[in-house]
Amino acid sequence: MATSFRPLFLLLTFTACVLLCSASSAGLVSGILSVGVGINYGQIANDLPSPSRVAVLLKSLNITRVKLYDADPNVLSAFSNSEVEFVIGLGNEFLEKMIDPAQTKAWIQQHFQPYHGGTKITCITVGNEVLTGNDTQMMNFLLPAMQSVHAALVDLGLSNAVTVTTAHAFSVLTTSFPPSSGAFRPDLADYIRPILSFLAQTKAPFLVNAYPYFAYKSNPGEVSLEYVLFQPNPGSIDPITNLKYDNMLYGQIDAVYSAMKAMGHADVEVKISETGWPSKGDSDEVGATPENAALYNGNLLQRIAAGEGTPARPSVPVDIYVFALFNENLKPGPTSERNYGLYYPDGAPVYNVGRFGAQGYLPEMDYSASNPRALPISAFLLVFMVCVMHVWKA
């Protein structure tokens, strides 16, 4: 009887090895594409999967960096003891309260400390695109709130574990081309200059939400679609530096560096906190198609995987957070606002971004110790092999 099982045993062993090797190869490809890439996990929707299911999806994609717009305890708990690094957000509505040290410390103790250690939180963003809004009072609150959060972290002995910054719309710049002439809006200079000093002192990054899509949508007759989608194109030459740019995003990044240098700061790193392309839009939202979204994100991810820098900083790899993980059906505004996701809420890819989009997996049920039927594949194989070996010996 044992002899009759040996061919079957060898066949099953070979099949298991092939499956494991295939899974490893797929993970390797996804892992390469996730280098230097994070994802924005927005939740303005009423049909999103549970955070525990999202954790499995991101693990299947080898995504290890996530940016939240709040400090959702359900999300932070779901990713406990994972390899994922989080940027958490403190909304604009909290800025005035954060000026009070007592309220700031209370926020840190409630929204950060309980998860610190179990979940990797590396950055806190205080506010989002505050300086390009219309609330001048909120603009005045921004830096004091950032300083107050940092001071609370220092008092609690946590400042070495997490940086404090804020995310800006790209429109904080008044000039972005040529990139070497990048400059901040004069009316925002008194806000940005001290923020840059704070970031330099605390070694925190300058975050920018940059969307070449907006430039193309506003002027499709003048802006080359190939140029914004990282497709082959003649490119553009910066007449001052003679550097050639073959895509708009890299020019935008270098323009921010130039603007900071003009304010006396070459000591702050630029990171792209949001970039993406909508897969659907209204009739006047030119270029919002799944084909263009796939080209933009797919080509950008290939560039990031290559570890390249911008023309002005070729040795500094570009660091981005793609917007966004899911389509969010409750976001206000034009149709495009609800269609930036790489995935539908049911886990189906909106479009295929090469291997990055094809390898995702959203489970039908959560894997947990309370569900003994949901064994990880490695445990299943171990049990299987033990059973087969028992039959072999018999």
Side-chain angles (χ1 to χ4, degrees):
M1 188 173 192
T3 303
S4 65
F5 270 93
R6 284 176 182 172
L8 177 61
F9 171 79
L10 293 174
L11 175 62
L12 291 174
T13 302
F14 175 76
T15 302
C17 289
V18 169
L19 290 172
L20 287 173
C21 290
S22 298
S24 298
S25 298
L28 177 61
V29 173
S30 294
I32 290 173
L33 288 179
S34 68
V35 173
V37 177
I39 194 82
N40 281 276
Y41 179 8
Q43 299 182 81
I44 306 178
N46 60 8
D47 56 356
L48 297 181
S50 67
S52 57
R53 294 175 67 203
V54 174
V56 176
L57 172 63
L58 294 185
K59 185 175 182 180
S60 73
L61 291 169
N62 284 336
I63 293 292
T64 58
R65 296 194 302 155
V66 174
K67 178 170 164 283
L68 298 178
Y69 292 86
D70 55 16
D72 188 333
N74 296 319
V75 174
L76 296 177
S77 296
F79 282 84
S80 180
N81 299 317
S82 72
E83 295 301 313
V84 177
E85 295 183 359
F86 275 89
V87 175
I88 62 173
L90 200 156
N92 295 356
E93 67 275 16
F94 291 102
L95 296 188
E96 183 175 5
K97 294 179 181 178
M98 291 304 102
I99 295 177
D100 178 359
Q103 293 196 55
T104 303
K105 191 171 184 179
W107 189 93
I108 295 292
Q109 290 173 326
Q110 179 181 352
H111 297 281
F112 174 79
Q113 258 189 313
Y115 311 100
H116 174 63
T119 302
K120 298 179 181 179
I121 302 173
T122 60
C123 181
I124 299 174
T125 56
V126 180
N128 185 59
E129 299 189 351
V130 173
L131 297 185
T132 46
N134 299 317
D135 191 331
T136 55
Q137 188 176 36
M138 191 175 293
M139 294 180 192
N140 289 319
F141 291 148
L142 179 58
L143 179 58
M146 293 168 66
Q147 293 170 326
S148 182
V149 171
H150 177 70
L153 291 168
V154 171
D155 289 344
L156 294 169
L158 299 168
S159 59
N160 291 331
V162 59
T163 57
V164 177
T165 185
T166 187
H168 303 279
F170 186 71
S171 53
V172 293
L173 270 66
T174 186
T175 303
S176 60
F177 189 84
S180 59
S181 297
F184 291 115
R185 283 171 38 184
D187 61 312
L188 298 179
D190 288 342
Y191 297 106
I192 293 177
R193 187 175 286 107
I195 287 176
L196 288 174
S197 296
F198 169 80
L199 297 178
Q201 291 167 5
T202 60
K203 302 186 187 314
F206 188 92
L207 301 185
V208 184
N209 300 335
Y211 290 87
Y213 165 71
F214 293 149
Y216 177 75
K217 182 188 76 168
S218 299
N219 198 355
E222 296 294 329
V223 177
S224 164
L225 183 61
E226 291 75 19
Y227 185 65
V228 294
L229 293 180
F230 301 89
Q231 294 286 84
N233 67 89
S236 61
I237 303 293
D238 186 319
I240 300 173
T241 62
N242 205 35
L243 293 174
K244 182 178 180 179
Y245 289 83
D246 65 358
N247 70 85
M248 181 176 287
L249 182 66
Y250 286 13
Q252 291 179 330
I253 294 171
D254 281 348
V256 176
Y257 275 118
S258 295
M260 294 194 304
K261 185 177 180 181
M263 282 194 168
H265 283 281
D267 50 357
V268 178
E269 180 184 5
V270 174
K271 292 188 178 185
I272 301 301
S273 42
E274 289 182 19
T275 192
W277 195 285
S279 60
K280 185 178 180 181
D282 295 321
S283 58
D284 61 342
E285 294 189 287
V286 181
T289 67
E291 294 78 15
N292 287 342
L295 285 171
Y296 181 81
N297 286 318
N299 289 335
L300 173 58
L301 291 172
Q302 288 183 10
R303 295 292 193 97
I304 301 300
E308 66 181 18
T310 64
R313 296 194 170 215
S315 62
V316 180
V318 174
D319 193 312
I320 67 165
Y321 283 82
V322 174
F323 187 86
L325 182 56
F326 295 110
N327 282 345
E328 298 172 72
N329 67 343
L330 297 182
K331 290 197 73 174
T335 297
S336 62
E337 287 294 316
R338 293 174 289 283
N339 289 277
Y340 273 91
L342 297 180
Y343 290 88
Y344 293 108
D346 65 0
V350 177
Y351 46 83
N352 186 9
V353 191
R355 290 283 185 174
F356 184 86
Q359 296 296 329
Y361 169 67
L362 186 68
E364 290 299 321
M365 63 180 69
D366 297 339
Y367 294 112
S368 67
S370 61
N371 183 2
R373 291 176 296 178
L375 286 173
I377 186 66
S378 57
F380 171 81
L381 286 175
L382 178 61
V383 173
F384 169 77
M385 294 296 287
V386 169
C387 292
V388 171
M389 288 300 293
H390 177 74
V391 173
W392 177 279
K393 291 179 180 180

